[in-house]
Amino acid sequence: MDRKSWIIVTLCVILAGVNLYYVQENQKLAQAEAARIKQEQAAKKAAETPAAPSAATPAPGVTPAAPAAPVAAVAAAVPVETHSIKVGTVTFELTSKGGGIARAALAGTDQVTLNKNGLEAIGALRREASGMDALAYKLTEKSDKSATFEGTTAEGIVVTKKYTLTEGPEGDEHLIDLKITLKNTGTAQHRSEEYYLYAGAATALKHDEGRYDGFFWNNAGDTDHELSKYFGKGFFSEAPTEYRHSFNALRYAGVMSRFYTHIITRMAEKDAPAKLWAGRRKLAQPIDAASVGKAEIEDFTYDAAMSLPVVDLAPGASVTENYQIYLGPKEYDRLSRIGHQRSYAMFYGYFKIVSIALSKVMRWMHNISGSWGLAVILLTIFVRLCLWPIHAKSTMTMKRMGLLGPLMKELQEKYKDNPQQQQMETMKLYKDYGVNPLGGCLPLFLQFPIFIGLYSVLEVAAELRGQSFWWVRDLAAADTQGQLLGFNINPLPIIMGLTMVAQMKLTPQPATVDKTQQRIFMLMPLFFLWISYDFAAALALYWSTQNIFSVFQTRIMKLYMPEPKLEKVALKPAAKAAPAQNPFFNSGAPSKDNKKKGPKPPRLGG
C-alpha cells in the first residue's frame, strides 16, 4: 500500500477504537441508570409499606435518622405561610415552604419576576445539592423589613432563617440579608458537609437569549462562569447533566440570564471551603408564546446551590452564618457600589478593562442627557473624537499610497517574474516617498478592542432594557416597526448599511486594491447588515452614529486639510564619524593645528 492508504487505514482503526470505547461507556451509564431507577422504585415501595418497629438500638453518639417520607408528610400537613417585603421597585415574596424567597417581583422598567421557574424558594436549605428542602418551617416573626422562619430536622437540628433588608452605604433595593443559625438540640455530635443554600433558577426572557444563561462562582477573588453551552453534547462525549465542584474559598455563587442575576454571597471575615452544584432543566412550555406547541423548540432553566462551610456541632452547640442575596439586574455600576467583588460577575470578555471604562462613560453621558439613547450617541461621538488624530493620519497615509498606484503598477509589470525583487523595490519605493504601508491599518487595530468592548457592554446592559428612544420601544431589542412579505422591518440596521456604503465611497482606497477586492469591499455592508439585522437597537444605533460621524469627519478633512503631494523624501547625509580617541592622548598638550605660525629660527652650522 502507498502512504495515503496507510494513513486512511490508521485513521479508521483509531476511529473504530474510539467508537468501541464510547459504546462501552454508554452501556455502563445505561446499566447504572437502570440500577438507580430500580433502587428508587424499591425505596418508594418500601416507603408506602408500613415498616415494623425495630428492636435494634442506635450506637452511642449517633442520632438515629428518621425516614424521609414522614418528614415530607409533616411538611405537607403544615399550612404554608407567606409574607411580602417591598422596598423601592422590588417586592420579595417569602414563603414558609422552603423558608425562603419564593419570587422577587421587579417593577419599574424591568417588569420581571425572578425565580419564576424555581424548584423551591431561594435560600432553601438542602441536605443534598440536587434535592429539596422538605423541612416544615413556621413563620415566627415578620415586619415591613424582615421575616424569620424556624424548623427542626429529624436529627434534632433547629434551623432558623432571618431575612432582613440590607441597609447602610452598601444597601440596595435588590439586596437582602440572610442570617441562618443551626442549633444541635440532640444528644449526639452532628457533623456534615452537605448543607446547601438554593440560589434559585435563571430563565431567559426570550428563546433567542438562552445562550446567555448560566452559572458562576467566585473562589478567593477569581471569578469564572459557565454558559448554557456547558450542558451541550460534545463530539465524543455525552451532554453533562450537572456541575459539581469543591472550592477552597468560595465567596459567592449564583445563576444568571442575559440581563438579570441571582448572587448568594457569604459575609465573613475569613474564607472557607465550600461546594457548588448547578444543573439544567427543560421547561414544560416554551418561553415565547408563539412557540407553544412546537416540539422542535426547547427552552431550559438553570439552577444552582452553594454549600455552607462544614457544620460540626456538639450537643447544645450552635453555629451562625451570614449571607447576602442579590436579585436584580446586571448593572456594573450597581454591583460595584454594593461591593464584595460582585461586579466581577459582569463577564465582559477579553477586553473587560475597555468595557468597564466605556460603561462608566455611558452612565456619565446618561446623567448629563437623561436619555440612554442619547447616551449611546454621545458615547460614540466621544470615542470617535478620541480617535480623530489617528484617523486623520491614517487617511493621509492611504491617500499618499493611492498616489503611488501608477509607480507600483510599473514595478509589478517590470518584476512580474521576480516576486522577491518586486517586494524589495516596493519597499524601496515606500522609503523613497516616506510612506508607511501600515499607517492606514493602525486605526483598525485601535478600534477593534474598543468595538468589541462596547459590543460586550451594549449586549448585556440591563440599563437599556425597556428604554425607548425615538421610534425604538426597547433599546435592548430590535427596532421592528412592522413586517413586509413576512420579514421584519428594522430601520436602524438599514440606516447602518446605507451609511456604511456612503463611508466606503468617501474613504480613499489603497493602491494595491484591485477590482476583485473592491467588489468584496462593496459586499461588506450587505454582510454586516445580514449578521446584525436582529441585533439590539442600541448596537445598530452605535454603528449608524459611527458611520455618520465618519462621513462628516471625512468631509471636514477634505475641506480643511491640504491634499498630499507625491514628493521624494530628502535623505540627510550621514554624519562623518569622529576618529577614535587614544586612551593615552594628553588632552592638555597643544595640537598641531593650534600652534602659532611664525618665522623659523636660523639654522647654524651652514
Side-chain angles (χ1 to χ4, degrees):
M1 291 190 296
D2 57 0
R3 183 179 179 183
K4 186 176 180 181
S5 301
W6 276 112
I7 294 174
I8 295 174
V9 170
T10 304
L11 290 176
C12 291
V13 171
I14 293 173
L15 291 176
V18 171
N19 182 56
L20 179 62
Y21 170 77
Y22 281 103
V23 166
Q24 293 175 351
E25 290 295 320
N26 291 334
Q27 289 177 353
K28 292 179 182 178
L29 291 174
Q31 292 174 359
E33 183 68 15
R36 185 185 64 81
I37 295 174
K38 189 174 181 180
Q39 288 179 358
E40 289 181 354
Q41 291 176 350
K44 186 177 179 182
K45 198 173 192 181
E48 294 175 353
T49 305
S54 175
T57 57
V62 178
T63 305
V71 174
V74 172
V78 176
V80 176
E81 300 175 272
T82 60
H83 179 61
S84 296
I85 301 177
K86 186 175 182 181
V87 51
T89 61
V90 183
T91 302
F92 296 100
E93 301 175 5
L94 294 99
T95 175
S96 61
K97 187 177 180 181
I101 306 168
R103 292 176 182 83
L106 280 56
T109 57
D110 294 303
Q111 297 298 320
V112 170
T113 301
L114 301 182
N115 200 44
K116 182 170 59 175
N117 296 307
L119 289 171
E120 53 186 341
I122 299 172
L125 190 64
R126 297 176 167 185
R127 292 307 308 274
E128 208 289 320
S130 59
M132 297 281 286
D133 187 353
L135 190 60
Y137 292 94
K138 291 184 179 180
L139 181 61
T140 57
E141 294 182 16
K142 61 180 180 179
S143 67
D144 295 339
K145 296 183 179 181
S146 66
T148 304
F149 299 95
E150 187 175 296
T152 305
T153 69
E155 299 165 318
I157 307 299
V158 178
V159 181
T160 305
K161 302 178 187 177
K162 184 174 183 179
Y163 296 87
T164 310
L165 293 179
T166 306
E167 297 179 341
E170 294 183 356
D172 188 87
E173 63 182 8
H174 299 276
L175 201 60
I176 190 168
D177 293 338
L178 168 59
K179 181 180 180 181
I180 180 168
T181 301
L182 303 179
K183 184 176 181 180
N184 186 2
T185 61
T187 59
Q189 185 80 15
H190 178 77
R191 177 183 172 84
S192 177
E193 299 179 4
E194 302 298 321
Y195 279 102
Y196 292 84
L197 283 176
Y198 180 57
T203 312
L205 301 178
K206 298 178 182 178
H207 174 73
D208 295 337
E209 297 178 0
R211 65 182 184 276
Y212 300 98
D213 297 348
F215 57 95
F216 55 90
W217 62 89
N218 181 311
N219 182 46
D222 184 15
T223 308
D224 205 349
H225 69 295
E226 293 286 354
L227 296 177
S228 58
K229 62 183 180 181
Y230 172 81
F231 295 98
K233 185 177 180 180
F235 189 75
F236 289 112
S237 61
E238 295 295 326
T241 57
E242 61 180 12
Y243 174 91
R244 289 179 184 264
H245 201 278
S246 299
F247 298 93
N248 59 347
L250 189 60
R251 294 179 180 175
Y252 64 69
V255 291
M256 63 181 178
S257 59
R258 180 180 180 183
F259 298 113
Y260 299 94
T261 183
H262 307 180
I263 307 177
I264 296 184
T265 306
R266 181 173 179 265
M267 308 298 292
E269 296 181 358
K270 295 183 179 180
D271 294 329
K275 302 175 184 178
L276 172 65
W277 169 88
R280 182 180 75 165
R281 292 180 290 113
K282 183 180 177 180
L283 297 176
Q285 293 291 336
I287 297 172
D288 300 331
S291 302
V292 175
K294 298 180 180 179
E296 68 276 9
I297 302 296
E298 293 183 335
D299 288 317
F300 299 89
T301 188
Y302 298 83
D303 307 279
M306 172 185 177
S307 77
L308 274 65
V310 177
V311 175
D312 193 357
L313 298 175
S318 64
V319 63
T320 299
E321 291 287 345
N322 293 300
Y323 292 86
Q324 281 186 348
I325 302 175
Y326 175 85
L327 303 173
K330 291 163 61 177
E331 299 176 6
Y332 179 83
D333 182 72
R334 187 188 297 270
L335 294 176
S336 179
R337 178 170 50 81
I338 61 179
H340 299 282
Q341 301 179 342
R342 276 175 276 230
S343 62
Y344 294 4
M346 297 294 296
F347 301 101
Y348 285 132
Y350 293 109
F351 301 106
K352 184 175 183 178
I353 296 177
V354 178
S355 298
I356 292 174
L358 293 175
S359 175
K360 292 182 178 180
V361 174
M362 184 175 69
R363 179 166 287 275
W364 178 55
M365 297 295 186
H366 170 261
N367 295 337
I368 295 174
S369 62
S371 168
W372 284 109
L374 285 176
V376 174
I377 294 176
L378 293 175
L379 176 63
T380 308
I381 296 174
F382 171 78
V383 172
R384 295 297 300 182
L385 286 175
C386 292
L387 294 175
W388 187 307
I390 302 173
H391 178 79
K393 188 174 182 179
S394 168
T395 303
M396 294 298 291
T397 301
M398 294 181 70
K399 285 183 177 180
R400 296 185 67 188
M401 289 185 66
L403 295 176
L404 289 176
L407 299 178
M408 294 185 67
K409 287 184 179 179
E410 291 180 6
L411 292 177
Q412 291 173 359
E413 290 293 331
K414 186 177 180 180
Y415 300 102
K416 60 181 179 181
D417 296 330
N418 192 348
Q420 186 176 2
Q421 185 66 27
Q422 178 184 338
Q423 185 178 5
M424 293 175 61
E425 293 295 330
T426 303
M427 297 306 297
K428 185 176 181 297
L429 188 68
Y430 287 145
K431 184 178 180 180
D432 291 343
Y433 288 93
V435 175
N436 183 6
L438 299 179
C441 303
L442 182 60
L444 295 178
F445 287 112
L446 289 177
Q447 290 183 43
F448 179 74
I450 293 176
F451 172 74
I452 298 298
L454 187 58
Y455 175 84
S456 301
V457 170
L458 298 179
E459 190 180 29
V460 296
E463 298 95 331
L464 302 179
R465 186 177 178 275
Q467 300 293 333
S468 60
F469 182 69
W470 293 339
W471 65 83
V472 181
R473 291 185 292 271
D474 187 354
L475 285 170
D479 62 326
T480 304
Q481 300 299 306
Q483 286 190 338
L484 180 64
L485 301 177
F487 293 96
N488 294 333
I489 301 175
N490 301 338
L492 274 177
I494 296 175
I495 295 173
M496 181 198 74
L498 295 176
T499 52
M500 283 188 69
V501 174
Q503 180 188 9
M504 294 183 66
K505 287 288 186 181
L506 294 174
T507 302
Q509 299 293 330
T512 55
V513 176
D514 55 15
K515 291 183 179 180
T516 304
Q517 290 175 320
Q518 289 179 0
R519 293 191 186 98
I520 294 175
F521 286 154
M522 290 304 298
L523 291 175
M524 289 290 287
L526 292 176
F527 175 73
F528 278 100
L529 177 63
W530 176 66
I531 64 174
S532 63
Y533 195 72
D534 292 323
F535 275 4
L539 286 168
L541 179 62
Y542 156 74
W543 212 329
S544 301
T545 305
Q546 175 179 262
N547 294 339
I548 294 172
F549 187 85
S550 181
V551 171
F552 166 77
Q553 187 178 11
T554 304
R555 294 293 299 173
I556 292 295
M557 292 172 59
K558 189 174 183 180
L559 291 174
Y560 296 100
M561 290 186 66
E563 290 294 324
K565 296 180 180 180
L566 191 62
E567 297 178 347
K568 285 190 176 183
V569 178
L571 299 177
K572 295 181 180 180
K576 190 175 182 181
Q581 283 280 17
N582 190 335
F584 300 101
F585 174 72
N586 184 7
S587 59
S591 64
K592 293 182 179 180
D593 296 336
N594 294 334
K595 288 183 179 180
K596 295 182 179 180
K597 295 182 179 179
K600 296 182 179 180
R603 298 178 64 184
L604 301 178

